[in-house]
Amino acid sequence: MSQLPALIRVFAYLSLLAVGGGMAAFPEMEYLSVDVHHWLTKEQLIHLYSIGQMAPGPNMMMIVAIGDWAAGALGALAVLLAFFLPTALLTFAVGRGWKRLESWPWRDSIQAGLAPVSIGLLLAGCYTMAKGAIFGVETAAIAAGVLLILLQYKMNPALLVAASAVIGYLSFR
Amino acid sequence: MSDIAKQGAEAAPAVSVARIFREFLIIGAISFGGAVPYLRGRLVETEGWVDDKEFVEMLSMSQTLPGLNATNLAILVGQKLRGAPGAAAAIVGMCLPGAALMYVAGILYWRHGDHAASAATLKGVAAAAVGLALFTAIQLGRRSLETRADLAFVALTVIAVDRYHVSVLWALLGVGLISILWRHPRRAKSAGSQ
């Protein structure tokens, strides 16, 4: 119960960092939910994130499970609202003015300038996650295989994640 | 031809809030493996609620703003169709199926996650998720990285966060500000005239 304010604070903050994609906020999510608040272990966070890749819809829905573990169903709801409401309001407000900003020369500068930073944040998130998920040749081969197949063929990533689940079951048991 | 298409789009009857909710609920339930391609398929191709150019504009805006690309897109499309109620219907519909599923998955994982079989399965899934996340970053990079300076800003961000453990917030504000100033409107103009 007492975890609710912390959950709201942390996930509202994380949502503001998710520029370019949810993965951008991953290093900070690991630090805050594992090291600072001890809602779950690093391994559990990586597992939940990975399970989330098999679910439909926006790819950070795994935060619901963190909220549930820390503070029950109310925690799950609080996390959802904290993560989605502030950025939804911001997008709504900017969406109204965006067209009018077309003639504002800085608009393109901001858009072009933030792109490399958001890609850097996504890569930093990948690296943070890889440190916990890649250990040894087999896991490295799975990650590389998924990446190469996606670069080479147009294929639904969820299928590859499911195939990797089977490979994991068969080889790590 | 394009004039007729344009007229048709303008004369299209208003979409009801319930209809928006239903459409995004469907997208939220079927979009396995990343929501953006499904959003494009359903909203542009099936429903014709936004045209291709507008969709690309909304997507690049969604990537610039904080928040997930998929939910930001839902807000923008909902807003265009029906203002605030439309935006609310779109984001709630979009999130509902995945949130319900992950709520249940979380409970199951909490109970059975440390069984040998599920631990082994999850090792495979986590490794795949790393490959998938890398692919997403590379795909975005191919589209929006243009100059060597861009690559330098990417590297600077990665090094700041991973090597020096700068918080994501400060990396975003610090490197972001330098990168935006680097793309200063006057510089962009002179570069464009070359």
Side-chain angles (χ1 to χ4, degrees):
Chain A
M1 193 58 201
S2 59
Q3 293 296 323
L4 274 185
L7 280 171
I8 292 169
R9 224 174 34 238
V10 164
F11 283 94
Y13 170 64
L14 288 175
S15 74
L16 297 177
L17 303 181
V19 177
M23 199 49 161
F26 194 81
E28 204 77 0
M29 185 187 296
E30 184 188 289
Y31 171 66
L32 289 172
S33 60
V34 176
D35 300 332
V36 176
H37 292 285
H38 310 291
W39 288 319
L40 72 179
T41 67
K42 191 174 157 181
E43 194 188 14
Q44 287 169 336
L45 180 70
I46 288 170
H47 283 168
L48 277 184
Y49 176 84
S50 314
I51 296 170
Q53 299 310 298
M54 291 190 286
N59 73 351
M60 294 298 278
M61 284 305 165
M62 42 78 71
I63 59 171
V64 171
I66 302 179
D68 181 46
W69 292 359
L74 204 58
L77 195 66
V79 159
L80 266 185
L81 284 176
F83 194 78
F84 289 109
L85 193 60
T87 54
L89 293 175
L90 183 68
T91 302
F92 189 84
V94 176
R96 286 181 141 172
W98 195 252
K99 269 264 178 261
R100 253 174 289 149
L101 289 178
E102 212 158 21
S103 54
W104 187 48
W106 282 96
R107 196 188 92 161
D108 290 339
S109 303
I110 292 172
Q111 211 160 14
L114 280 183
V117 182
S118 70
I119 291 160
L121 291 180
L122 291 179
L123 288 174
C126 291
Y127 180 68
T128 304
M129 192 163 150
K131 275 189 292 188
I134 308 295
F135 44 89
V137 187
E138 297 94 336
T139 43
I142 293 174
V146 167
L147 175 63
L148 292 177
I149 291 172
L150 286 174
L151 286 173
Q152 203 63 41
Y153 306 101
K154 213 174 141 97
M155 194 174 169
N156 192 323
L159 289 176
L160 290 171
V161 178
S164 307
V166 176
I167 295 173
Y169 177 78
L170 295 175
S171 54
F172 299 122
R173 205 159 34 129
Chain B
M1 178 61 197
S2 65
D3 276 354
I4 295 168
K6 212 175 190 176
Q7 268 177 4
E10 274 159 17
V15 184
S16 75
V17 174
R19 184 79 203 288
I20 295 171
F21 177 75
R22 209 186 62 195
E23 185 62 35
F24 278 90
L25 191 68
I26 293 171
I27 296 170
I30 63 168
S31 56
F32 290 93
V36 173
Y38 291 86
L39 282 164
R40 190 198 184 115
R42 304 267 324 178
L43 301 176
V44 179
E45 282 153 32
T46 312
E47 299 290 347
W49 287 348
V50 285
D51 62 35
D52 219 23
K53 185 169 169 283
E54 206 173 10
F55 186 83
V56 172
E57 253 168 40
M58 285 175 168
L59 180 61
S60 72
M61 186 179 162
S62 300
Q63 283 162 346
T64 305
L65 288 168
L68 303 184
N69 301 336
T71 48
N72 284 347
L73 258 170
I75 291 287
L76 293 174
V77 175
Q79 177 180 47
K80 184 209 161 189
L81 296 171
R82 265 289 159 129
I91 190 171
V92 172
M94 174 105 198
C95 290
L96 213 51
L101 203 70
M102 281 312 291
Y103 182 74
V104 176
I107 293 170
L108 290 176
Y109 175 69
W110 196 232
R111 284 196 195 145
H112 307 293
D114 50 357
H115 290 191
S118 36
T121 308
L122 287 169
K123 277 180 193 167
V125 175
V130 172
L132 172 55
L134 261 177
F135 172 69
T136 310
I138 290 173
Q139 220 184 7
L140 202 60
R142 275 177 174 169
R143 251 198 332 259
S144 55
L145 298 182
E146 289 158 1
T147 63
R148 273 198 207 146
D150 285 346
L151 291 177
F153 290 127
V154 172
L156 196 59
T157 311
V158 176
I159 292 168
V161 174
D162 282 328
R163 185 83 185 84
Y164 294 101
H165 304 288
V166 175
S167 106
V168 172
L169 176 68
W170 291 112
L172 183 61
L173 294 179
V175 186
L177 191 67
I178 303 170
S179 176
I180 289 168
L181 289 174
W182 183 263
R183 292 280 195 148
H184 192 285
R186 248 173 295 154
R187 288 182 51 115
K189 207 182 272 172
S190 62
S193 64
Q194 273 173 8

